[in-house]
Amino acid sequence: MNLSAIDPKLLQLLNAVLDEAHLARGAARIGLPLPAAASALERCRQLFRDPLLEDGGQAMRLTEAAKALRAPLQQALAAIGHGAREQEAGVAGMQRRVRLLMADYPAQVVAQALYAELHPSAPLLDLEFLPWKNDAAAADSLERGEAELVIGSPARAQAPVRSREVLQERCVAVMRHDHPAAQQLTLQKWLAYPHLRVSSHDTLNKMLDEQLAAQGLAPRVGMTVPNFLMAAPLLQGSDLIALMPMYCVPAATAAHPVPLSCLRPPLPVAGLSLHLQRHQRSDDDIAVMHVADVLERVVRQQLAGR
């Protein structure tokens, strides 16, 4: 297998896990949350069609296939490191703008960390966060060259778009902590209260409507807002209920010190896959590639495991 064709983040995780012969220690070594590391290791097992780690009695041990991977894995990582250093040297004095599209969450969560990581290596790059409408509009902007990078759920399959998953997120029913439905949430209770909709998350809204319609049901939408930033105060001060990705639920703040209740929805809702997307026209654009690499790392660090 050509290791250079595999996501470098997967190779880094695999290298750490094989070095330690332990998933948790390997994840800690590269600063990756354990749930994200477990998901990444499972992807590696599927790619190599081998468990890679096996029960050795008192400790885990490498399989024969994993042992055979050690040398080529080190060589591949060394080549990746050399390429990354060349890329950083190329963008160090580059003055240009890179435009990003993502919803207010996760943008609010990752923006500060993204700037902090990019500024030392590319101080002259200008990052511009564009207004988010929905996944379909983001795909159109990418195709028309109005944005270089998108973080979202793929709206449709597009041959010229490079897309890779950066986060697999679960959806939760969100309401104030003392909501009448917060105890023993049932489908009947869930539908009895007005729902808060975030119009920019059209993928989730459509998925929910289709699933309920198949049962002859529909939620009563009490309010629709354009972004996730408006959701928390509305949920805190009303009987509204929202279905949201977990990474879009804000943590408790000074303004809203009581955390919201996040419950398992009373019907099976598939997890949402968050992808980093760029157009193939940027394949040789070192500025876009550099921002994409840092953005992927920041998204995984800030959002995985929430």
Side-chain angles (χ1 to χ4, degrees):
M1 178 179 291
N2 181 12
L3 295 181
S4 63
I6 299 176
D7 184 346
K9 306 302 184 299
L10 276 183
L11 296 183
Q12 291 170 1
L13 181 277
L14 180 59
N15 182 60
V17 169
L18 296 188
D19 268 355
E20 301 286 346
H22 195 280
L23 175 59
R25 290 198 297 267
R29 197 169 97 178
I30 64 171
L32 192 64
L34 188 55
S39 176
L41 180 59
E42 182 57 33
R43 290 171 63 190
C44 290
R45 285 168 164 160
Q46 293 174 5
L47 281 172
F48 294 104
R49 298 180 181 179
D50 187 86
L52 302 174
L53 290 177
E54 60 186 6
D55 189 355
Q58 294 184 345
M60 300 297 288
R61 66 186 179 193
L62 305 188
T63 65
E64 291 303 316
K67 292 176 183 177
L69 274 173
R70 301 299 290 122
L73 184 57
Q74 294 287 344
Q75 294 169 3
L77 286 171
I80 290 168
H82 179 70
R85 288 190 293 273
E86 286 188 335
Q87 179 174 297
E88 287 193 7
V91 299
M94 184 175 290
Q95 186 171 2
R96 60 159 296 183
R97 178 180 58 172
V98 177
R99 298 162 297 181
L100 301 87
L101 259 174
M102 63 184 79
D104 56 317
Y105 274 93
Q108 187 188 45
V109 178
V110 305
Q112 183 177 1
L114 177 62
Y115 181 81
E117 289 212 24
L118 274 174
H119 185 68
S121 59
L124 301 181
L125 283 186
D126 174 13
L127 298 182
E128 181 180 359
F129 283 83
L130 301 175
W132 176 270
K133 294 181 180 179
N134 51 51
D135 287 313
D140 291 339
S141 294
L142 197 62
E143 187 173 353
R144 292 193 297 264
E146 297 169 352
E148 281 75 47
L149 295 170
V150 169
I151 292 283
S153 299
R156 55 183 178 270
Q158 291 178 289
V161 171
R162 313 298 195 199
S163 178
R164 62 178 183 257
E165 182 181 297
V166 295
L167 186 69
Q168 183 71 26
E169 186 47 75
R170 70 187 189 278
C171 294
V172 289
V174 189
M175 63 199 76
R176 72 173 197 266
H177 77 287
D178 57 348
H179 194 287
Q183 299 296 324
Q184 296 182 336
L185 182 63
T186 64
L187 183 59
Q188 184 178 8
K189 281 185 179 180
W190 193 46
L191 295 176
Y193 289 91
H195 284 224
L196 176 66
R197 279 283 175 92
V198 180
S199 59
S200 61
H201 214 314
D202 53 337
T203 301
L204 178 59
N205 295 335
K206 182 180 179 182
M207 181 174 65
L208 175 62
D209 287 343
E210 289 177 347
Q211 190 162 346
L212 286 172
Q215 302 180 46
L217 302 171
R220 177 166 63 90
V221 179
M223 182 174 287
T224 301
V225 296
N227 55 61
F228 288 109
L229 288 173
M230 297 178 66
L234 288 167
L235 293 170
Q236 289 281 15
S238 71
D239 281 345
L240 289 164
I241 297 176
L243 182 67
M244 298 168 61
M246 188 65 196
Y247 66 81
C248 293
V249 181
T253 65
H256 303 287
V258 179
L260 294 163
S261 288
C262 298
L263 307 175
R264 184 189 300 273
L267 75 170
V269 178
L272 290 175
S273 180
L274 202 64
H275 284 239
L276 171 62
Q277 303 164 69
R278 62 176 179 81
H279 199 278
Q280 67 179 15
R281 70 173 70 91
S282 66
D283 283 354
D284 298 320
D285 189 325
I286 62 172
V288 173
M289 296 298 290
H290 183 60
V291 175
D293 289 344
V294 175
L295 178 58
E296 179 179 355
R297 182 167 64 252
V298 168
V299 168
R300 293 184 187 276
Q301 290 172 344
Q302 298 293 318
L303 299 178
R306 283 197 68 190

